[in-house]
Amino acid sequence: QVQLVESGGGWVQPGGSLRPPCPASGAIFGFISLGWSRQAPGKQRELVSVITSGSSANYADSVKGRFTISRDNAKNTVYLQMNSLKPEDTALYYCMVQTRRGGLITGTYWGKGTLVTVSS
């Protein structure tokens, strides 16, 4: 069973920063991509950022220039550095891993989420 456990959320004032980590454990023999999504109350889940096994990264327009995704292979952890946070960034943030074995995709897994609240 692949497990992802996000942490590091919380309350911050507008303009503040957070860097939640998401360590992964379980039978991960390889991965296609790692990523973060978010869901605000009453809204659809939004893909925020994705990083591939080759370390190329993509960002939603709403966070481009403010958020940075990164990974630490030694710690099996993906991070989301969030700077210049805005109230509209308030959401439950989920991390994701798409796993593989050889050239075959074996699954896509999501964590349970960490809550980020941005307000004065």
Side-chain angles (χ1 to χ4, degrees):
Q1 180 74 26
V2 175
Q3 296 184 38
L4 302 169
V5 184
E6 310 95 325
S7 63
W11 173 84
V12 294
Q13 295 185 4
S17 298
L18 287 173
R19 189 173 181 258
C22 182
S25 63
I28 302 176
F29 299 100
F31 67 92
I32 300 297
S33 63
L34 300 164
W36 289 86
S37 66
R38 65 186 182 185
Q39 188 168 23
K43 295 186 177 181
Q44 297 290 106
R45 183 178 291 193
E46 174 189 25
L47 185 63
V48 174
S49 184
V50 173
I51 186 168
T52 68
S53 59
S55 296
S56 63
N58 294 290
Y59 301 90
D61 288 341
S62 58
V63 306
K64 193 171 296 182
R66 299 187 297 118
F67 290 11
T68 303
I69 190 170
S70 63
R71 60 186 174 94
D72 186 328
N73 292 335
K75 297 180 179 180
N76 293 323
T77 300
V78 61
Y79 302 87
L80 187 66
Q81 178 69 56
M82 301 184 288
N83 297 327
S84 301
L85 284 162
K86 304 174 180 180
E88 49 264 46
D89 294 318
T90 296
L92 193 62
Y93 283 73
Y94 301 88
C95 65
M96 171 275 292
V97 59
Q98 185 168 253
T99 59
R100 66 170 177 85
R101 178 171 289 185
L104 299 177
I105 296 172
T106 54
T108 302
Y109 303 88
W110 298 92
K112 296 186 184 301
T114 187
L115 182 63
V116 173
T117 302
V118 186
S119 66
S120 298

